[in-house]
């Protein structure tokens, strides 16, 4: 596996993490503009931003009943994100460098006759600290491509999460600094600024109704090809290029999404074994004969 410094767009990734860590708990220059459903809503302006740039927006709040990794699965999987982020039209991984580092593409919905859809091509990184805190940062990159007709390429300086363990669940900070790169009505811009921190509460509501999506442990040695989630159908499909002899865990919501541990876990090839522990954890063992072969692991009711 490549070292971090060898991965593409590492400088952009590192700049995003630097801003995330600098501003996650800072009080310098921040202005509180609301507190809804227990989420503190704040914004900060930077000198030199052009007229179309939005301020850095921050939301902070507690979400009950989840671990950091479970909450992360809820907010990063495009299949579940669409349910708490009403702006998202499509999200996908363009290239996966490691389990935690990737290149992504997302499309945000426009407003008919007023605002064109926006798209972002960016770099994402994730870090897990010794105390269980998860940091995730996204930022735009220039890969030489351009937006197709009818869409505008926005600039994402930072889309970041800090998810800390809390006695009741997780202590969440969500920050976004973006430039739509084009004129949008002030009412739409103001609405966007308000919606961003409110996503924390919306995500908690989605969790309480639907549960968190399945996810794979960081110990996997096989290469992830795709992760597909049909949230309403409660169907999750993980496609991997198998590493012979790999043993890893998958986790799913055995309470809300699959009540009473009703999940059915299937592997597309008989050379792998599945062992459920009865509480939302399943061990996958890949046979040596599957080395290099593409297989699917499905979780469904």
């Amino acid at each position: 596996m490549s070292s971090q410094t060898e991965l593409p767009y590492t400088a952009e990734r590192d700049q995003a993490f630097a801003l995330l860590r600098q501003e996650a708990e800072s009080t310098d220059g921040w202005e509180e503009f609301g507190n809804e459903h227990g989420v503190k809503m704040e914004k900060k302006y930077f000198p030199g931003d052009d007229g179309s740039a939005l301020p850095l927006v921050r939301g902070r709040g507690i979400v009950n009943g989840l671990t950091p990794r479970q909450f992360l699965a809820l907010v990063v999987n495009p299949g579940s994100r669409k349910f708490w982020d009403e702006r998202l039209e499509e999200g996908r991984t363009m290239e996966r460098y490691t389990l935690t580092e990737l290149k992504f593409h997302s499309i945000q919905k426009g407003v008919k006759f007023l605002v064109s859809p926006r798209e972002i091509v960016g770099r994402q990184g994730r870090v897990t600290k010794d105390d269980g805190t998860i940091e995730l940062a996204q930022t735009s990159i220039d890969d030489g491509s351009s937006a197709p007709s009818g869409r505008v390429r926005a600039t994402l300086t930072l889309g970041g999460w800090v998810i800390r363990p809390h006695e009741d669940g997780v202590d969440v900070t969500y920050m976004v600094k973006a430039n739509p790169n084009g004129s949008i009505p002030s009412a739409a811009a103001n609405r966007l600024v308000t919606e961003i921190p409110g996503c924390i509460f919306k995500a908690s509501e989605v969790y309480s109704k639907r549960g968190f999506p399945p996810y794979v442990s960081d110990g996997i040695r096989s290469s992830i090809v795709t992760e597909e989630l049909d949230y309403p159908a409660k169907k999750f499909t993980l496609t991997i290029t198998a590493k012979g002899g790999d043993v890893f865990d998958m986790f799913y919501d055995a309470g809300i999404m699959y009540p009473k541990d009703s999940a059915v876990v299937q592997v597309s090839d008989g050379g792998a074994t599945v062992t459920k522990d009865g509480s939302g954890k399943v061990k996958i063992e890949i046979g040596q004969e599957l080395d290099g072969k593409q297989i699917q692991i499905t979780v469904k009711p």
Side-chain angles (χ1 to χ4, degrees), residues 171-201:
D171 182 349
V172 179
T173 299
Y174 179 41
M175 294 194 295
V176 174
K177 178 80 173 77
N179 189 330
N181 290 333
S183 176
I184 63 173
S186 59
N190 291 335
R191 179 186 175 191
L192 183 58
V193 168
T194 303
E195 285 178 351
I196 290 169
C199 286
I200 294 175
F201 174 69

Side-chain angles (χ1 to χ4, degrees), residues 8 10 15 33 69 81 86 93 101 114 133 146 150 161 185 190 198 206 217 235 244 257 260 273 280 284 298:
T10 295
Q15 288 175 2
F33 63 90
R69 190 62 184 83
R81 179 165 185 149
E86 63 184 37
T93 297
E101 306 287 329
L114 292 175
T133 295
S146 58
W161 296 90
N190 291 335
V206 169
S217 69
K235 182 179 179 181
M257 194 167 185
K260 299 180 181 179
T273 61
I284 309 293
T298 303

Side-chain angles (χ1 to χ4, degrees), residues 228-241:
E228 299 177 15
L229 174 67
D230 184 336
Y231 212 17
K234 304 180 181 181
K235 182 179 179 181
F236 174 79
T237 303
L238 173 71
T239 302
I240 63 173
T241 300

Side-chain angles (χ1 to χ4, degrees), residues 38-53:
V39 176
K40 188 176 182 180
M41 309 164 76
E42 301 167 291
K43 59 185 177 181
K44 179 176 180 176
Y45 292 92
F46 289 84
D49 278 350
D50 67 40
S52 62

Side-chain angles (χ1 to χ4, degrees), residues 247-250 265 273-277 281-285:
V247 179
F248 60 91
D249 295 324
M250 289 182 64
V265 183
T273 61
V274 173
T275 307
K276 292 173 61 179
D277 77 346
K281 178 180 176 181
V282 57
K283 182 168 73 172
I284 309 293
E285 298 179 78

Side-chain angles (χ1 to χ4, degrees), residues 199-238:
C199 286
I200 294 175
F201 174 69
K202 289 180 181 179
S204 71
E205 280 196 311
V206 169
Y207 163 67
S208 67
K209 294 175 183 177
R210 296 181 178 272
F212 64 85
Y215 63 92
V216 66
S217 69
D218 288 351
I220 186 172
R221 293 186 295 120
S222 299
S223 299
I224 295 176
V225 179
T226 59
E227 295 175 277
E228 299 177 15
L229 174 67
D230 184 336
Y231 212 17
K234 304 180 181 181
K235 182 179 179 181
F236 174 79
T237 303
L238 173 71

